[in-house]
Amino acid sequence: MKRIPEPELMDTEEQARAYAAADFSEAHQSYVTLFNQTFPKRPARAAVLDLGCGPADVTLRFAKANPGYAFHAVDGSAAMLSFARQALQSQRALAKRVRLIEGYIPGAPIPRKKYDVILSSNFLHHLHDPMVLWRCVRRYAKTGTRVFVTDLFRPTHRAKAKALVRKYSGGEAPILKRDFYHSLLAAFTPSEIEDQLEEAGLEPLLVRVVSDRHLMIFGEIP
Ligand SMILES: C[S@@+](CC[C@H](N)C(=O)[O-])C[C@H]1O[C@@H](n2cnc3c(N)ncnc32)[C@H](O)[C@@H]1O
């Protein structure tokens, strides 16, 4: 099935509200577990860049699990960041270590030159040009940076995408089901991502399918 890109930013209030209210706890917590398993010997302290953080549910889960980590979480949607701000207010202890940055990638005002960890979840499939993410990884990574990207992958047929929407968002708001379907059609296949990594000179990063709809791209920059 051919890729059908979707709008990059999730910048309507209704869309951001539905996304922030959805229960993604199982998938989001599984990213934290996968990260721990992937990098068991990581340093206790780290400066972390989270690209396309949305309402920051994933960011806060990583912050909770990694008390020595400080996060710069970037998103181009003011609507999404207002929900991120609310989430931070309800978890004040974690909020001290999470700074939200509004900005369109590329070009967002990212404060540090380099980061120890670069995270991104469910962001790649939004980009019209996927190389934007990989160029950003190259720019902000140094030797030893752990890269951990999770995303959907594109099913082979529309019928499979529809079945995934029924299975995982049957009880959610219609707008969320619509967005999930469009995201599945916009996502990349593992082999397309491997080609992107090669083009970016990021061959040390590996692509692994981790569920019926998710994959991860991970590795340490040599
Ligand atoms: C599906 S959400 C993922 C949010 C969060 N990482 C998560 O996993 O729950 C994708 C986010 O990427 C943001 N986004 C998409 N393209 C962007 C760009 N070029 N620059 C900055 N943010 C972007 C959207 O506004 C949206 O908040």
Side-chain angles (χ1 to χ4, degrees), residues 10-22 24 28 53-60 73 75-92 95 98-102 175-176 179:
M10 296 175 72
D11 54 3
T12 71
E13 158 76 16
E14 190 192 11
Q15 202 179 22
R17 183 177 295 282
Y19 192 86
F24 292 126
H28 288 182
C53 65
D57 181 60
V58 176
T59 325
L60 286 171
D75 203 286
S77 160
M80 278 292 197
L81 288 180
S82 79
F83 287 101
R85 234 165 266 124
Q86 285 174 31
L88 256 58
Q89 273 165 11
S90 65
Q91 302 204 47
R92 283 185 185 276
V98 179
R99 174 167 164 196
L100 298 174
I101 295 154
E102 185 177 338
I175 190 171
L176 201 84
D179 282 355

Side-chain angles (χ1 to χ4, degrees), residues 24-93:
F24 292 126
S25 51
E26 195 184 324
H28 288 182
Q29 199 55 38
S30 78
Y31 304 155
V32 177
T33 307
L34 279 168
F35 179 76
N36 292 346
Q37 290 167 350
T38 306
F39 301 113
K41 290 197 182 122
R42 61 193 185 279
R45 303 187 70 78
V48 185
L49 177 62
D50 182 359
L51 297 164
C53 65
D57 181 60
V58 176
T59 325
L60 286 171
R61 287 173 190 275
F62 272 89
K64 196 171 184 180
N66 296 279
Y69 285 16
F71 297 77
H72 288 163
V74 188
D75 203 286
S77 160
M80 278 292 197
L81 288 180
S82 79
F83 287 101
R85 234 165 266 124
Q86 285 174 31
L88 256 58
Q89 273 165 11
S90 65
Q91 302 204 47
R92 283 185 185 276

Side-chain angles (χ1 to χ4, degrees), residues 139-209:
R139 174 163 173 191
Y140 292 100
K142 57 189 166 73
T143 299
T145 296
R146 271 85 168 169
V147 178
F148 187 76
V149 174
T150 46
D151 203 1
L152 300 166
F153 64 87
R154 191 167 77 250
T156 46
H157 299 90
R158 278 174 185 260
K160 279 197 180 171
K162 285 183 182 150
L164 287 169
V165 173
R166 274 196 301 276
K167 185 170 176 188
Y168 293 106
S169 61
E172 299 285 0
I175 190 171
L176 201 84
K177 288 191 216 178
R178 182 204 70 185
D179 282 355
F180 183 32
Y181 181 63
H182 288 157
S183 291
L184 287 164
L185 303 190
F188 296 97
T189 64
S191 72
E192 285 168 348
I193 296 172
E194 277 162 1
D195 291 347
Q196 294 163 17
L197 294 172
E198 192 183 338
E199 187 182 333
L202 287 170
E203 293 91 341
L205 301 188
L206 300 175
V207 183
R208 183 185 297 159
V209 170

Side-chain angles (χ1 to χ4, degrees), residues 8-10 19 52-53 75-76 80 104-105 121-123 126:
E8 289 200 345
L9 297 182
M10 296 175 72
Y19 192 86
C53 65
D75 203 286
M80 278 292 197
Y104 181 79
I105 302 163
S121 58
N122 303 306
F123 168 63
H126 276 273

